[in-house]
Amino acid sequence: MTKQIFILLFFVGSMATFAQSKIDGKWKGTREGQNGTIELNYTFKVEGDKLTGTSTTPRGESQLENGKVDGNKFSYTMSFGEMTIENNGELVSDNEIVIKTQRGEMKLTRVQ
């Protein structure tokens, strides 16, 4: 009986370790820029409470920095030369994320 309990606990622990965050994956959205609407594409990767990834715009790709995850909420910074922008996001459904910055709010949808 003890052996069966140990095996069950091992599998439950393994599943929790390898569970993928719902934030993981590819996301897209738009933002109003100085010259009109800009398309944004994000790739998020969650490992434990750490968030990494990229943001891609027509101007190129940028790395997410200082990423942290707490449940459905997350934060990261992005640097552009001397400027650093703080981003705070929340997974509001399996297919929608809202990100807030000092520039406003942006909605992203999951890329299927």
Side-chain angles (χ1 to χ4, degrees):
M1 181 71 165
T2 304
K3 185 177 179 181
Q4 291 171 334
I5 292 173
F6 175 75
I7 291 171
L8 177 64
L9 290 174
F10 174 78
F11 282 115
V12 169
S14 296
M15 289 170 48
T17 301
F18 295 109
Q20 184 178 22
S21 170
K22 291 183 179 186
I23 296 169
D24 275 356
K26 295 182 184 272
W27 298 82
K28 66 179 178 177
T30 58
R31 166 162 282 179
E32 290 302 316
Q34 294 174 343
N35 298 322
T37 303
I38 300 169
E39 184 175 308
L40 300 148
N41 292 287
Y42 285 83
T43 301
F44 295 123
K45 177 66 179 159
V46 177
E47 293 181 18
D49 64 352
K50 183 178 179 183
L51 174 69
T52 59
T54 58
S55 169
T56 306
T57 70
R59 299 181 85 183
E61 185 175 278
S62 300
Q63 295 293 316
L64 279 58
E65 303 165 345
N66 307 307
K68 297 177 186 169
V69 176
D70 184 10
N72 286 342
K73 295 186 179 190
F74 59 96
S75 63
Y76 60 93
T77 59
M78 294 180 69
S79 298
F80 303 96
E82 299 287 320
M83 181 174 60
T84 299
I85 298 175
E86 293 185 23
N87 298 265
N88 293 294
E90 182 174 4
L91 179 74
V92 294
S93 74
D94 286 351
N95 294 310
E96 185 177 353
I97 285 178
V98 174
I99 297 177
K100 296 178 182 177
T101 71
Q102 60 262 36
R103 293 179 158 182
E105 186 176 291
M106 171 179 50
K107 291 184 182 179
L108 303 177
T109 56
R110 184 177 299 279
V111 175
Q112 299 298 328

